[in-house]
């Protein structure tokens, strides 16, 4: 499979498994799992007639963001995080590192500084372990802004944190007072 085709199909599968399973006529269970064969058939009907299990396995194995998991028996697939539809992907509640990072676009800073970091159309706020990853995320939204999150203090004050299998830290919200902007230059 050509790299561009693989990227396009991976993005399409991400859209299906995180936001819109109905566009190919499949359902997710309460934990976000979809039947692999139904997904393959739906992707084929949606304009990728050559798509097969080998292609799906390649996408799952090589995705640099580790977006997907297969069930132990290989019959089910789900997105690891990033859902906008209500599913419980059974994330383990964990004690976060002292500091986490959030990348966003500068255009969103006025709202964030007023309301805090909100999950918006997703189920959770996504936080990174390192500055470079957060800046990369922020670039998707224009000029990046980097926010340093005092995860230790949030945890001490009772906020829950979850850790996704692809290394993303998640929480429901980061209120004003638990983050500060830091320069994103040079990262």
């Amino acid at each position: 499979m050509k790299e561009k085709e693989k990227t396009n199909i991976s993005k399409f599968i991400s859209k299906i498994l995180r936001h819109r399973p109905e566009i190919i006529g499949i359902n997710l269970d309460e934990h976000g799992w979809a039947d692999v064969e139904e997904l393959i058939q739906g992707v084929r009907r949606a304009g990728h007639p050559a798509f097969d299990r080998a292609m799906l396995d390649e996408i799952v194995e090589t995705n640099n963001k580790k977006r997907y998991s297969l069930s132990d028996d290989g019959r089910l697939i789900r997105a690891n995080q990033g859902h906008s539809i209500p599913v419980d992907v059974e994330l383990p509640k964990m004690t976060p590192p002292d500091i986490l990072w959030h990348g966003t676009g500068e255009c969103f800073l006025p709202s964030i500084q007023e309301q805090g970091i909100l999950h918006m159309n997703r189920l959770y706020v996504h936080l990174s372990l390192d500055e470079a990853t957060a800046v990369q995320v922020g670039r998707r939204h224009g000029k990046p802004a980097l926010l340093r999150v005092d995860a230790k203090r949030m945890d001490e004050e009772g906020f829950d944190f979850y850790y996704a299998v692809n290394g993303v830290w998640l929480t429901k919200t980061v209120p004003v007072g638990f983050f500060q902007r830091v320069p994103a230059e040079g990262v």
Side-chain angles (χ1 to χ4, degrees), residues 123-157:
L123 300 180
Y124 298 98
V125 171
H126 295 200
L127 302 169
S128 304
L129 276 174
D130 62 88
E131 296 170 63
T133 302
V135 169
Q136 185 179 10
V137 169
R139 281 194 181 110
R140 293 187 214 149
H141 306 287
K143 186 173 180 188
L146 181 62
L147 303 173
R148 181 181 188 270
V149 176
D150 189 346
K152 179 181 181 182
R153 190 162 62 90
M154 284 183 66
D155 183 57
E156 289 170 348
E157 293 195 24

Side-chain angles (χ1 to χ4, degrees), residues 30-51:
E30 68 272 14
H31 300 294
W33 293 106
D35 181 272
V36 166
E37 280 307 312
E38 289 178 13
L39 176 74
I40 291 169
Q41 293 305 316
V43 171
R44 284 180 180 165
R45 286 190 307 271
H48 304 280
F51 186 69

Side-chain angles (χ1 to χ4, degrees), residues 1 6 9-10 16 19 24 31 43 49 71 74 82 101 111 138 144 153 158 163 170 180 182:
M1 176 175 5
K6 183 167 73 171
I9 292 174
S10 180
I16 292 163
H19 310 295
I24 63 165
H31 300 294
V43 171
S71 61
W101 302 91
S111 174
R153 190 162 62 90
Y163 188 69
L170 306 165
Q180 64 182 15
V182 297

Side-chain angles (χ1 to χ4, degrees), residues 15 18 24 29 37 85 88 100 127 150 154:
K15 181 178 184 176
R18 294 173 19 171
I24 63 165
D29 74 10
E37 280 307 312
I85 54 178
D88 174 11
L100 289 168
L127 302 169
D150 189 346
M154 284 183 66

Side-chain angles (χ1 to χ4, degrees), residues 85-147:
I85 54 178
V87 296
D88 174 11
V89 291
E90 306 164 298
L91 297 169
K93 193 182 300 186
M94 296 182 69
T95 301
D98 292 354
I99 301 299
L100 289 168
W101 302 91
H102 183 73
T104 189
E106 275 195 358
C107 60
F108 300 119
L109 284 177
S111 174
I112 289 171
Q113 290 168 335
E114 183 179 309
Q115 300 176 31
I117 306 170
L118 307 176
H119 61 80
M120 304 308 284
N121 64 340
R122 299 211 178 164
L123 300 180
Y124 298 98
V125 171
H126 295 200
L127 302 169
S128 304
L129 276 174
D130 62 88
E131 296 170 63
T133 302
V135 169
Q136 185 179 10
V137 169
R139 281 194 181 110
R140 293 187 214 149
H141 306 287
K143 186 173 180 188
L146 181 62
L147 303 173

